[in-house]
Amino acid sequence: MEKLKKPPLERKWYYCPYCHTKIVVYDNTAKAKGLYIKCRTCKKEIEIRI
């Protein structure tokens, strides 16, 4: 039996496009579409697309 190789995880920050505040951490296996988050700093609603 062969072991399955896992993809290397790379964690990154998603930044607010308006005020450039760190919003959420994601890794390279994440997929998101239609996810809306309100920025804590500038109070604008942002759609996360990964």
Side-chain angles (χ1 to χ4, degrees):
M1 253 178 141
E2 292 183 32
K3 287 187 178 180
L4 294 174
K5 290 186 179 180
K6 295 182 182 176
L9 293 179
E10 183 180 331
R11 296 178 72 186
K12 297 180 183 179
W13 280 100
Y14 193 91
Y15 292 91
C16 174
Y18 302 106
C19 67
H20 307 291
T21 303
K22 293 178 182 178
I23 295 181
V24 70
V25 178
Y26 67 95
D27 63 15
N28 60 343
T29 60
K31 292 182 182 180
K33 184 179 173 185
L35 176 65
Y36 292 91
I37 296 179
K38 191 171 185 179
C39 178
R40 296 180 301 248
T41 307
C42 66
K43 308 295 186 208
K44 293 185 179 181
E45 193 173 84
I46 300 142
E47 181 181 7
I48 305 292
R49 291 184 186 173
I50 301 173

